[in-house]
Amino acid sequence: MSPVETDPRLTAESVTIRPLDAFRETVRVLGSKSYSNRYLALASLSGEPTVIEGALVCDDTRYLADALTRFGHVEADVDAAAERITVTPTGRPMRAPEEDVYVGAAGTPIRILIAMAGHAEGTTVLTGTARMQERPMGSLLDALPGLGVTAEAVRGNGSPPVRVTGPSFRGGSTRISGAVSSQFTSSLLINATRAERDTEIHLVDELVSKPYVDMTVAALAEMGVTVERDGYRRFAVAAGQKLRGGTVRVEPDASGMSYFLAAAAVLGGTVTLPGIGAGSHQGDVGLVAALTRMGCTADVTDDSVTLTGGDLRGIDIDMETMPDVVPTLAVVAAFAEGTTHISNIASLRIKECDRIAAVATELRKMGITVEEHADALTITGGTPHGAVIDTYDDHRIAMCFAVAGLRTPGVVIKDPGCVAKSFPTFWQKLDTLAGPTTSTL
């Protein structure tokens, strides 16, 4: 068993965080979850052996690798210790699995797989956790018929379980809403690489979380496919382009590094994160600029980020392009002088939990004044006190409130194992800052 699998905190009822003083550390963060999912899906469509180095091995990527293997056209071998996923074609055609494909709470994988099932012969049913069965897929389901794919929500509510009949992904032209999730557009772009006809995707409204589509386009380019685009209104993938196999390398996860940036910010410490820098397409790198506005100092090179905490002050910030790090910034705001207003974050209502409500509830437990709006949070900084934090089966809630515990005594994180969704070594990485110990309530 790997060290990750034997970490007792992943099965503990709770973890108590021990405060620490300012630190100076270099932390190596695991690979990007978003890129790992994209490269894994593209590798399965390439028809060539592919090795994904520096891959994030977590619940989400394991679910995707298992689902791809069940279609029969590839074997996806996951090596957690080596941070490597190897995708090997079997020479068999894609066929719908006989049993339902269960993806847990993995949002990006299920959205990629809904379109991908249109390439497989037969009927595929995709489902997940109770929360996943509440998450909206209607925009994607509405767009797929324009490309030839028959897909429907089994219960007629626009959410999983979703039934897809193939092989039917021919390509063509379709229209899609970008207002709910950028993952729908990314799913179509990824799967257009296997279409027999040119594919055009027209956005009918404003696209949220634009950097994630930029990441998809960058991953396609890395693997040999060019996307023609008109800003964020039109994307086109010409048929006949060949996805390359070989080796691809995943850069560190910007969402994952956010917790260590936040730790430096609230403690006045210094953290260096190698392997990611100014050229990254990951929108969550924008947290560095946000923290500098709050009083930190940063040194960003082509291949590293270093941040040092300072006297924190509240800011007014639109975080539409980096929603996954909103909870992280909210926790930093709790320690800042003045008020922080975080806007344009309505998409957080439909994540693994309602993250706007969850952040507001848990910060209030710690004595912080929070105003919750439909698409915003207003946080008045102060002196948080200890509390038992509910995590809502949401990895990001667990990790951001662990940061609060590095400065505030008495912070207890319930269900610490939920971090395995995106960052299974999180508690071990936090140990490098000399922080947490384990206790069970």
Side-chain angles (χ1 to χ4, degrees):
M1 296 179 72
S2 72
V4 175
E5 293 170 319
T6 58
D7 186 347
R9 288 163 293 197
L10 294 180
T11 55
E13 185 176 340
S14 67
V15 165
T16 300
I17 310 299
R18 185 174 69 240
L20 65 148
D21 297 325
F23 61 88
R24 179 179 293 272
E25 292 289 345
T26 296
V27 179
R28 295 188 178 274
V29 178
L30 296 178
S32 162
K33 178 163 71 78
S34 296
Y35 272 125
S36 295
N37 280 324
R38 283 158 174 77
Y39 285 135
L40 183 50
L42 290 169
S44 78
L45 296 171
S46 73
E48 301 288 339
T50 307
V51 178
I52 305 168
E53 297 283 3
L56 175 63
V57 177
C58 63
D59 286 354
D60 278 22
T61 52
R62 287 185 186 275
Y63 277 123
L64 181 55
D66 177 68
L68 296 173
T69 297
R70 290 182 59 194
F71 280 113
H73 65 302
V74 294
E75 292 285 348
D77 179 60
V78 176
D79 186 337
E83 297 179 8
R84 179 186 303 119
I85 302 176
T86 303
V87 181
T88 307
T90 63
R92 297 191 297 271
M94 286 187 70
R95 296 187 185 279
E98 293 183 4
E99 303 294 329
D100 291 1
V101 177
Y102 179 84
V103 299
T108 302
I110 198 170
R111 286 161 173 158
I112 290 173
L113 289 165
I114 287 170
M116 189 178 289
H119 298 301
E121 182 179 342
T123 299
T124 304
V125 177
L126 300 119
T127 190
T129 62
R131 174 63 177 175
M132 178 60 73
Q133 292 181 41
E134 298 173 351
R135 296 183 72 177
M137 304 291 162
S139 297
L140 179 58
L141 299 180
D142 290 344
L144 283 169
L147 304 177
V149 180
T150 300
E152 60 181 353
V154 171
R155 299 191 182 104
N157 60 354
S159 298
V162 170
R163 181 187 297 114
V164 184
T165 303
S168 54
F169 197 122
R170 297 187 299 271
S173 179
T174 194
R175 293 161 60 84
I176 192 168
S177 171
V180 173
S181 174
S182 66
Q183 292 173 358
F184 302 145
T185 302
S186 288
S187 175
L188 298 183
L189 286 169
I190 287 167
N191 285 287
T193 60
R194 198 173 172 119
E196 61 188 41
R197 303 203 305 246
D198 296 351
T199 300
E200 284 196 2
I201 303 162
H202 298 267
L203 276 292
V204 300
D205 49 20
E206 191 70 16
L207 178 67
V208 299
S209 305
K210 294 178 178 69
Y212 287 99
V213 171
D214 293 334
M215 291 171 66
T216 301
V217 172
L220 284 160
E222 173 66 18
M223 295 190 71
V225 171
T226 300
V227 177
E228 179 190 326
R229 63 187 295 181
D230 179 10
Y232 297 96
R233 287 296 181 183
R234 173 185 170 273
F235 298 87
V237 180
Q241 297 187 74
K242 179 65 175 174
L243 286 164
R244 74 167 179 88
T247 299
V248 292
R249 176 161 289 279
V250 178
E251 71 180 22
D253 190 88
S255 307
M257 82 175 186
S258 74
Y259 310 107
F260 301 94
L261 295 172
V266 301
L267 293 172
T270 297
V271 66
T272 296
L273 300 128
I276 185 171
S280 176
H281 291 282
Q282 296 184 65
D284 289 347
V285 173
L287 181 65
V288 177
L291 293 175
T292 59
R293 288 180 56 198
M294 296 183 79
C296 301
T297 57
D299 180 18
V300 181
T301 70
D302 289 342
D303 62 357
S304 71
V305 174
T306 299
L307 185 124
T308 300
D311 294 331
L312 297 173
R313 57 184 177 271
I315 59 173
D316 191 330
I317 184 170
D318 181 326
M319 295 188 73
E320 185 271 329
T321 61
M322 45 179 165
D324 280 348
V325 295
V326 167
T328 313
L329 187 74
V331 166
V332 175
F335 295 93
E337 181 179 350
T339 297
T340 296
H341 182 68
I342 305 171
S343 61
N344 208 4
I345 55 173
S347 64
L348 293 185
R349 296 284 188 190
I350 58 168
K351 296 289 187 176
E352 284 82 343
C353 72
D354 180 340
R355 287 180 179 160
I356 294 177
V359 167
T361 298
E362 301 310 310
L363 284 178
R364 288 175 185 139
K365 282 184 185 178
M366 299 184 72
I368 297 300
T369 300
V370 183
E371 295 177 26
E372 179 185 344
H373 312 277
D375 65 348
L377 282 167
T378 303
I379 301 155
T380 301
T383 305
H385 58 67
V388 177
I389 302 299
D390 288 299
T391 52
Y392 309 88
D393 195 27
D394 190 326
H395 52 137
R396 304 224 178 272
I397 301 300
M399 291 186 283
C400 73
F401 278 93
V403 172
L406 296 178
R407 179 162 165 178
T408 299
V411 172
V412 178
I413 307 297
K414 296 176 70 174
D415 185 25
C418 68
V419 303
K421 183 180 190 300
S422 68
F423 201 158
T425 62
F426 174 75
W427 302 113
Q428 294 165 313
K429 293 293 183 181
L430 210 60
D431 282 344
T432 66
L433 309 181
T437 57
T438 303
S439 69
T440 302
L441 291 177

